[in-house]
Amino acid sequence: MSVINVGQAAVLGVVEGLTEFLPVSSTGHLKITEGLMGIPVDNDAVVGFSAVIQVGAIAAVFLYFFKDIVRICAAWGRGLVNKQERYHHDYKFAWWVIYATIPIVVVGLAAKPLIEGPLASLWVVAASLIVGSGVMWAADQMGRHKRGEDDTTFKDAMLVGSSQILALLFPGFSRSGATMSTALVLDLDRVAATRLSFFLGLPALTGAGIYELKDALGAGVGAAPLLVGTVISFVVAYGSIAWLLKYVAKHSFNAFVIYRIIIGVLLLGLLGGGAISS
């Protein structure tokens, strides 16, 4: 019997789609939801399921940014065969995304036992939600928001890409929150920071989903729950992406900071009171 049924998969798909790209921690929300539904958060199959349904959310990014991705990939392809094309920003940016993904891949493989073991605890999620909120607030205040997407450099990409490790090691910190905060500290404006977060997440999240697929299927999650969760996360994530880009164009990240603190404190209360298991 699957450790996650179709109904639970549908709920988790909605949670994943809503939170994957908002700076509120999709991993944290998934683990909280799993805990409330009595699903073991540190089970190998459950961890694999969470990674697989991320592919649905990341597919929404591919669709939403299809023209941008085609443009960047085309520039990269031209640059491989034509030296003159290698001065184009899109060609350089494609390489930067590749290079910036290497740190999280190395750490992810090396620290897999910790990530799927002790660090999967809901206590870690609660603490990371609260601490990450402080980091996000500070970054938004410190940033001068004066640089656009075309102003990004190799240094920006490497620093923002490497910051994804924080979310990998501390579920609840938020991959989007970590990358956007780092980009803001580097003085990118909020829209540029958000778009950079999307592009840098493409290879890491896609790779994680493909890597975990065998564990999810082999360890106790049926194909039907995986399919339902992935499709729903795709649909919901597409709407979430469109909303977020419009929101950050006119608002600060303060609403996300407040929300994260509230969720973190509530989670500590639920854990402390024994309402859910860590």
Side-chain angles (χ1 to χ4, degrees):
M1 182 179 293
S2 174
V3 296
I4 297 175
N5 62 43
V6 172
Q8 292 170 329
V11 172
L12 293 173
V14 172
V15 173
E16 165 63 24
L18 281 174
T19 61
E20 179 60 53
F21 303 111
L22 301 184
V24 297
S25 176
S26 62
T27 301
H29 279 72
L30 283 172
K31 289 186 180 297
I32 292 170
T33 306
E34 289 161 0
L36 290 173
M37 291 193 295
I39 299 171
V41 298
D42 58 350
N43 181 282
D44 287 345
V46 176
V47 173
F49 173 85
S50 299
V52 172
I53 65 172
Q54 283 181 337
V55 175
I58 206 68
V61 177
F62 277 106
L63 180 61
Y64 192 90
F65 293 105
F66 182 74
K67 291 183 179 178
D68 294 303
I69 293 170
V70 169
R71 188 191 75 243
I72 293 168
C73 289
W76 183 69
R78 291 194 301 270
L80 292 176
V81 296
N82 186 338
K83 187 176 181 179
Q84 292 300 117
E85 294 288 339
R86 296 173 191 172
Y87 296 98
H88 197 286
H89 185 269
D90 285 341
Y91 171 79
K92 296 177 183 179
F93 185 76
W95 277 115
W96 297 346
V97 171
I98 294 171
Y99 294 145
T101 303
I102 294 174
I104 192 173
V105 171
V106 172
V107 173
L109 292 174
K112 193 171 187 287
L114 283 174
I115 295 167
E116 297 182 355
L119 294 178
S121 167
L122 287 177
W123 288 105
V124 175
V125 171
S128 299
L129 277 166
I130 295 170
V131 173
S133 299
V135 172
M136 189 183 304
W137 179 83
D140 205 11
Q141 299 302 308
M142 291 169 56
R144 289 179 286 178
H145 315 292
K146 66 176 184 177
R147 299 170 59 210
E149 188 174 344
D150 291 338
D151 299 317
T152 55
T153 65
F154 174 67
K155 177 184 175 182
D156 296 331
M158 289 303 297
L159 289 173
V160 174
S162 296
S163 70
Q164 296 178 107
I165 294 171
L166 285 170
L168 185 67
L169 296 178
F170 305 107
F173 202 97
S174 169
R175 188 201 64 82
S176 295
T179 52
M180 291 177 190
S181 295
T182 303
L184 290 172
V185 170
L186 295 170
D187 293 332
L188 285 158
D189 63 49
R190 294 187 184 99
V191 173
T194 303
R195 285 174 60 88
L196 184 59
S197 174
F198 284 135
F199 290 127
L200 288 175
L202 285 171
L205 293 177
T206 303
I210 294 172
Y211 180 80
E212 294 286 357
L213 179 60
K214 65 181 188 305
D215 291 336
L217 287 171
V221 177
L226 277 173
L227 179 62
V228 169
T230 303
V231 170
I232 291 178
S233 73
F234 165 77
V235 174
V236 177
Y238 190 89
S240 178
I241 293 167
W243 176 84
L244 179 61
L245 287 170
K246 291 179 181 178
Y247 181 85
V248 298
K250 299 180 180 179
H251 302 86
S252 72
F253 288 111
N254 289 344
F256 296 117
V257 170
I258 295 170
Y259 172 79
R260 288 169 55 103
I261 292 173
I262 292 172
I263 294 298
V265 171
L266 284 175
L267 180 55
L268 287 175
L270 290 171
L271 288 168
I276 60 174
S277 171
S278 63

